Amino acid sequence: MNASSKSSSRQIKQRLGFSLLAVMTLATVIPIIAVIIYIIVLGSPAISWEFISGFPSDGMRSGGIWPAIVGTFYLTLGTAVFAVPLGIGAAIYLSEYAQNNRWTQLIRIAIINLAGIPSVVYGLFGLGLFVLFLEFGTSILAGSLTLSIMTLPVIISTTEEALRAVPQSFRTVSISVGATQWQTIRRIVLPQALPGMLTGVILGLERAAGETAPILFTVAAFFLPRLPGSPMDATMALPYHLFVISTQVPGMPVKIQYGTALVLLIFILGMNFIANSIRSRARAKRQW
Amino acid sequence: MTALKQILRETALATVFYSIYNPVLMKLIRSFIPLLIFIAITGCSTPTGASDDGPLPTTNTIENKGSDTIVNLALAWAEQYQKLHPEVRISVTGGGSGTGMAALINGTVDIANASRQIKAKEIESAQANGGDPVEFIIARDAIAIIVNLENPVNELTLRQLSDIYSGKITNWREVGGEDRPIVRLSRETNSGTHVYFLETVLRLGDKEDKTLFSTNTLLLPSSEGISVEIRQNPNAIGYDGLGYVTEDMKVVAVARDAGGPYIYPSAESVNNGAYPIARDLYMYTNGQPTGAIAAYIEWILSPEAQPIVTALGFVPVLNP
Amino acid sequence: METTRNWREIFITQLIKASGYSAIIFVAMIFYFLIREGLPTLSEVSFSTLFSTRWYPIEAYYGILPLIGGSIIITIGATLIAVPFGIGGAIYIAEIAPRWLRDMLKPLVEVLGGLPSVVLGFLGILILSPNLRILLDLPTGLTALAGSLLLGGIAIPTVVSVAEDALDAVPKSYRDAALALGATEWQTIWRVTLPAARSGVLTAVMLGVGRAIGETMTVMMVTGNAPMLPKGLSALLAPARTMTATIAAEMGEVANGSVHYHVLFFIGMVLFIISLIVNVTASAVVFKQRKRAERILS
């Protein structure tokens, strides 16, 4: 076999290989687009101001999903309250203070583990600890605490990455003009890392907003006639509401199901979009 | 705690300072303002509890939880009652009769809905926790046997149903249908409907019988799950409360014995005892109910509320 | 003024240190809780019952083997889908696609990862399982396969992002050297880049698998939840019941402290330990590879 035919057979192999991979990627991506379009098409007839701002009526077969939207909003907020300070603190520790010893390795392993625990096990833990043992009952408090532990690893790892991306020179210069370590962190490192941190926080909260299993036993209610008045109240929530109306209620109009799915999707994708734009804007404006 | 206050003040000042100069941080602050308001509001309010025995306060909350069979009925009742009595808040949740019972035993619910009677063991557990379950029959229900519209089978005996669900009969042609495998649909084990079906149909009422569902019986998380599968799968057979049967499914007539009359489920055949798979639906409270809970249950048993029962496809307790 | 500043600095530093260790505390708490509520199972339920093949908890049949089997078969199915498509997609995005395409594809794949599982489950009941039944001529479409397809879809974005990062991190010099020696890009990918990114890709796969094992709502809605012990790969075409769906479906109904309650926590413990093993192994592999890479590159 001469050189040119050998190279052309390799070229053919390469072209085939590239096309195969392209097809595989397409096969992954096209269903995503199809799913989104499908939900948008079937769900948008249901979207109206009454749908978003009204309460469910007629056994939830008509009316709106406002309490579920508010519930998800409160849960996301509650998760942020607990997870953001704790997560950012832990990330600062790992990035700025921790030494490379066994304890730090243990912390990292713990974070990886928290990230891998199935969501239903979090629900179990939340039920056992917050709802029963600490007697918070099914409440926004119990749900937020459960969701926040679940969100912690995402916030910690993305924040740590953002902090580490800030060049060491920034810190060195700051220390050399006499600032303490905390002053350096607060005034120099944190502001620089802020976009990355924000992205991480939003992505973490996005996951918390879409989860059903952890809130099943800790906060979710089938129907509440009024909005929750305090963190000790149970609440409806979008993911649980979608689950319930697609499986529990007979004669549920299809468009209400898809409408709810669409609202949930907009919520989630909206957060995703915000996180991504912050990330790309920050990358462009980076000072290093 | 002046050091702490100084830290807080410093942080607040720094945030304000930066927010004026840094647009990204400003966005962060703006998104957290609702958070701060939330904290401010909720920090000042005290936790609300479920209403309990005692004088009627101005706002009352009733926690109602349990059977998925009853949940839509409970919801319809709750909606109607709250229109008449806006000072009462009723929250309704499903999860299955078992869930309601567990909540009753744990003391976390005011009214537990159950589509089966409370078991002796559950009464024991409740009493061990200091409770005392009181039973109310609030409606009656027929369990309809449903199959796909295309399925030619119209009638089955209890024995045949038992054999189908225990796995002895596996093909539709054994009961007069087409040559198709039988796909058995059932509710989950936490459902009162499931337990009732186990005792009445699979075990034919025999308390000593140990027959179980076949392992390949699909345990679907809700009544609607069963409906969805029945509608599009000609191999499927399922059971569900009459209230869940829609026009795109076929109801099978059931006979007690091979010779006996095949009866269709209806309010009439339930009340005159002809239909063999009928049952009472219950609400349980912890101890004799008082106050708002008592008023609500009284209303449910009144001629005002029972028409809602019929509207949802169940059988009212009071015969008009 | 000087002393208050030091005071503050120390206080804040302690807070930060405490947050750092909080991760360990939480993992320990979860583990402790699961064990506390799960271990009584071993004294309440005999070993032979626990490892029997019948799961029917309301009549005290606590055989967890069908559940473990169900989780395993669905995860295997999901892995069989996620690995080729995930790694293939990662290679395409990282190495082959032009920049404009890559900037479009990456966020799109991330979107799939963000889709709430309940939405996928909902579409699964309405669209996937009826079509599976008709396409493959099965008694019912509510099968392990439906679960695997959806879980594979959920795991793919995880595999793609982590693997793509790993491939991206391979130094350009490796590729340039291979190309300079006359290899085609295709050969370079398979014989140089991919092996160099081996540890990252392996991590990606393990994270994807971890995600699949832990998924709850989707499997609860589409797999039929029948506790059948899977016998071989054909069990993919039959219904199955996962450990996660069992907990989600039954947790609401258990009385605090009952045997059933303990068994469910026991299952939670098993899930926790499985994810622990998967994650620790994945990180150990990464640590080892990183050490080796540091040695090589130094």
Side-chain angles (χ1 to χ4, degrees):
Chain A
M1 210 189 264
N2 57 16
S4 58
S5 65
K6 202 195 275 188
S7 68
S8 63
S9 79
R10 285 192 318 185
Q11 291 286 24
I12 294 177
K13 223 165 102 173
Q14 168 159 307
R15 220 162 281 173
L16 278 178
F18 280 16
S19 331
L20 177 64
L21 287 184
V23 164
M24 283 172 89
T25 315
L26 232 66
T28 317
V29 162
I30 287 186
I32 309 173
I33 305 182
V35 160
I36 297 181
I37 295 183
Y38 197 67
I39 295 182
I40 293 181
V41 164
L42 284 174
S44 29
I47 306 286
S48 64
W49 181 245
E50 293 80 42
F51 187 67
I52 299 191
S53 64
F55 271 74
S57 59
D58 184 24
M60 308 220 273
R61 284 186 210 95
S62 56
I65 53 173
W66 178 238
I69 298 180
V70 167
T72 298
F73 181 65
Y74 277 155
L75 280 174
T76 313
L77 233 41
T79 310
V81 165
F82 294 113
V84 170
L86 201 54
I88 295 187
I92 295 180
Y93 175 72
L94 284 174
S95 143
E96 310 290 321
Y97 289 89
Q99 267 112 14
N100 219 343
N101 56 18
R102 186 152 304 175
W103 278 113
T104 316
Q105 260 196 28
L106 206 59
I107 296 180
R108 290 196 191 282
I109 294 184
I111 295 177
I112 295 182
N113 271 309
L114 280 181
I117 295 180
S119 52
V120 76
V121 174
Y122 275 111
L124 215 56
F125 170 66
L127 174 70
L129 179 61
F130 300 120
V131 176
L132 294 176
F133 185 69
L134 291 177
E135 295 189 18
F136 291 153
T138 25
S139 55
I140 299 183
L141 186 59
S144 303
L145 285 168
T146 314
L147 284 174
S148 57
I149 303 184
M150 199 182 82
T151 319
L152 218 49
V154 176
I155 297 187
I156 295 181
S157 29
T158 39
T159 308
E160 196 197 347
E161 233 183 84
L163 289 170
R164 275 189 195 283
V166 177
Q168 194 59 20
S169 53
F170 282 42
R171 296 182 187 83
T172 334
V173 168
S174 169
I175 304 267
S176 69
V177 299
T180 63
Q181 191 172 19
W182 171 241
Q183 282 176 325
T184 311
I185 297 176
R186 178 159 58 89
R187 293 177 197 262
I188 309 288
V189 181
L190 273 187
Q192 290 292 342
L194 207 51
M197 282 163 50
L198 219 51
T199 313
V201 165
I202 294 182
L203 286 178
L205 292 180
E206 167 195 334
R207 196 183 152 200
E211 281 288 344
T212 320
I215 61 175
L216 269 181
F217 322 113
T218 53
V219 63
F222 183 72
F223 172 74
L224 289 175
R226 240 160 274 186
L227 295 179
S230 88
M232 301 308 282
D233 286 344
T235 178
M236 295 166 68
L238 275 176
Y240 182 68
H241 194 71
L242 179 60
F243 173 65
V244 150
I245 64 174
S246 61
T247 56
Q248 313 279 55
V249 185
M252 175 67 69
V254 168
K255 77 169 188 193
I256 302 248
Q257 299 179 42
Y258 278 99
T260 313
L262 183 56
V263 171
L264 181 56
L265 212 61
I266 293 179
F267 202 84
I268 304 281
L269 293 185
M271 292 176 87
N272 204 319
F273 181 69
I274 295 178
N276 274 329
S277 18
I278 296 181
R279 181 163 47 186
S280 33
R281 273 245 317 253
R283 211 168 272 177
K285 280 172 43 179
R286 205 183 283 187
Q287 289 172 12
W288 65 85
Chain B
M1 279 270 103
T2 41
L4 180 61
K5 263 211 268 196
Q6 261 192 305
I7 296 172
L8 287 172
R9 200 175 44 159
E10 185 92 6
T11 324
L13 277 174
T15 329
V16 170
F17 182 85
Y18 280 125
S19 64
I20 302 176
Y21 287 83
N22 190 330
V24 178
L25 192 50
M26 179 62 141
K27 249 186 260 180
L28 178 69
I29 306 305
R30 267 198 252 121
S31 61
F32 274 160
I33 285 182
L35 171 79
L36 299 170
I37 299 179
F38 177 76
I39 299 177
I41 296 177
T42 57
C44 307
S45 65
T46 47
T48 59
S51 67
D52 49 9
D53 306 338
L56 254 168
T58 41
T59 325
N60 254 302
T61 325
I62 301 182
E63 300 274 336
N64 185 354
K65 191 184 223 186
S67 163
D68 284 325
T69 306
I70 303 181
V71 77
N72 290 295
L73 179 57
L75 186 54
W77 273 334
E79 276 177 356
Q80 182 62 16
Y81 192 72
Q82 282 166 122
K83 284 200 198 123
L84 304 172
H85 298 263
E87 77 283 2
V88 182
R89 275 166 68 165
I90 308 175
S91 84
V92 178
T93 312
S97 303
T99 309
M101 287 306 176
L104 194 71
I105 295 174
N106 289 337
T108 55
V109 81
D110 296 313
I111 304 179
N113 302 328
S115 56
R116 57 158 172 88
Q117 252 187 330
I118 193 170
K119 295 187 205 157
K121 270 189 74 187
E122 289 166 334
I123 301 183
E124 268 171 47
S125 310
Q127 285 168 339
N129 277 0
D132 173 36
V134 176
E135 177 179 294
F136 297 91
I137 300 181
I138 45 129
R140 313 198 64 216
D141 184 27
I143 304 285
I145 304 294
I146 40 182
V147 294
N148 186 278
L149 279 176
E150 280 176 25
N151 196 322
V153 174
N154 286 321
E155 340 176 293
L156 289 167
T157 64
L158 280 182
R159 176 92 246 165
Q160 284 175 315
L161 283 172
S162 170
D163 287 338
I164 288 179
Y165 267 96
S166 62
K168 291 207 190 86
I169 298 182
T170 55
N171 194 304
W172 278 108
R173 57 160 185 233
E174 298 176 60
V175 289
E178 306 168 328
D179 181 13
R180 283 174 175 282
I182 302 185
V183 173
R184 305 160 191 79
L185 306 178
S186 161
R187 293 284 307 283
E188 271 277 0
T189 54
N190 63 355
S191 154
T193 317
H194 174 108
V195 174
Y196 174 76
F197 197 79
L198 178 73
E199 291 171 353
T200 318
V201 176
L202 266 133
R203 299 181 172 172
L204 297 169
D206 183 355
K207 295 241 188 267
E208 302 297 311
D209 197 316
K210 290 285 174 204
T211 313
L212 298 172
F213 285 87
S214 69
T215 43
N216 61 2
T217 309
L218 303 184
L219 303 175
L220 301 182
S222 68
S223 301
E224 187 60 11
I226 297 184
S227 307
V228 170
E229 183 67 5
I230 292 273
R231 268 182 218 129
Q232 47 90 13
N233 191 344
N235 305 325
I237 183 172
Y239 63 86
D240 226 335
L242 199 51
Y244 284 91
V245 176
T246 54
E247 258 139 38
D248 39 16
M249 308 174 212
K250 177 191 231 186
V251 179
V252 169
V254 181
R256 266 183 235 276
D257 320 288
Y262 290 90
I263 315 276
Y264 281 101
S266 69
E268 209 189 303
S269 59
V270 166
N271 276 325
N272 64 23
Y275 190 66
I277 326 178
R279 57 180 177 165
D280 296 328
L281 298 176
Y282 307 92
M283 278 187 171
Y284 287 91
T285 56
N286 236 335
Q288 279 297 337
T290 58
I293 307 179
Y296 184 47
I297 296 196
E298 213 181 290
W299 178 82
I300 286 181
L301 296 172
S302 73
E304 238 180 83
Q306 291 290 313
I308 300 182
V309 173
T310 321
L312 259 75
F314 296 97
V315 179
V317 194
L318 310 172
N319 284 328
Chain C
M1 223 336 225
E2 196 54 46
T3 40
T4 18
R5 195 192 292 167
N6 275 342
W7 218 107
R8 248 182 348 174
E9 175 106 1
I10 296 175
F11 182 70
I12 292 190
T13 314
Q14 290 305 342
L15 270 184
I16 293 184
K17 262 211 193 123
S19 343
Y21 284 97
S22 64
I24 303 184
I25 298 179
F26 284 130
V27 174
M29 255 199 325
I30 297 180
F31 196 41
Y32 168 68
F33 231 87
L34 290 175
I35 290 195
R36 190 177 96 139
E37 304 288 348
L39 228 41
T41 315
L42 293 178
S43 58
E44 289 168 353
V45 179
S46 71
F47 240 57
S48 58
T49 321
L50 207 53
F51 291 99
S52 69
T53 56
R54 233 316 168 176
W55 173 261
Y56 198 62
I58 55 178
E59 301 259 319
Y61 288 88
Y62 293 117
I64 61 177
L65 287 183
L67 308 176
I68 300 182
S71 291
I72 291 182
I73 189 97
I74 292 182
T75 308
I76 292 182
T79 315
L80 287 176
I81 296 175
V83 166
F85 282 93
I87 299 186
I91 294 178
Y92 185 74
I93 294 181
E95 305 289 318
I96 305 175
R99 164 127 271 157
W100 62 269
L101 194 55
R102 186 206 299 202
D103 289 338
M104 258 182 22
L105 287 176
K106 251 198 117 161
L108 209 52
V109 173
E110 267 179 37
V111 161
L112 177 60
L115 280 182
S117 50
V118 84
V119 173
L120 286 176
F122 156 72
L123 289 173
I125 325 177
L126 291 182
I127 304 177
L128 185 59
S129 35
N131 288 313
L132 269 185
R133 176 179 62 87
I134 297 175
L135 226 71
L136 298 174
D137 195 27
L138 300 168
T140 172
L142 298 173
T143 54
L145 183 60
S148 294
L149 283 171
L150 289 178
L151 286 193
I154 291 184
I156 287 179
T158 315
V159 175
V160 166
S161 352
V162 180
E164 200 261 339
D165 281 341
L167 288 167
D168 218 26
V170 173
K172 198 162 175 304
S173 51
Y174 283 39
R175 293 188 198 86
D176 291 342
L179 291 172
L181 289 173
T184 60
E185 282 163 14
W186 181 251
Q187 287 173 321
T188 315
I189 294 175
W190 288 103
R191 298 187 194 207
V192 177
T193 323
L194 198 55
R198 199 173 46 229
S199 71
V201 170
L202 207 60
T203 314
V205 170
M206 300 199 90
L207 288 179
V209 169
R211 182 102 204 257
I213 295 184
E215 188 41 58
T216 313
M217 299 312 292
T218 325
V219 287
M220 197 162 101
M221 290 162 101
V222 305
T223 58
N225 294 320
M228 296 173 36
L229 194 62
K231 300 186 169 93
L233 221 55
S234 66
L236 267 182
L237 298 176
R241 188 184 182 86
T242 58
M243 293 187 276
T244 48
T246 305
I247 297 179
E250 299 177 13
M251 198 58 212
E253 75 154 335
V254 285
N256 199 345
S258 65
V259 179
H260 194 182
Y261 178 82
H262 290 148
V263 176
L264 286 179
F265 267 92
F266 185 74
I267 299 179
M269 220 173 75
V270 172
L271 276 171
F272 179 78
I273 293 179
I274 293 181
S275 77
L276 196 84
I277 296 179
V278 167
N279 287 308
V280 168
T281 324
S283 53
V285 167
V286 172
F287 280 161
K288 231 187 342 171
Q289 288 285 20
R290 194 177 293 164
K291 281 223 177 94
R292 239 186 66 201
E294 280 161 17
R295 262 188 283 129
I296 295 179
L297 292 174
S298 61

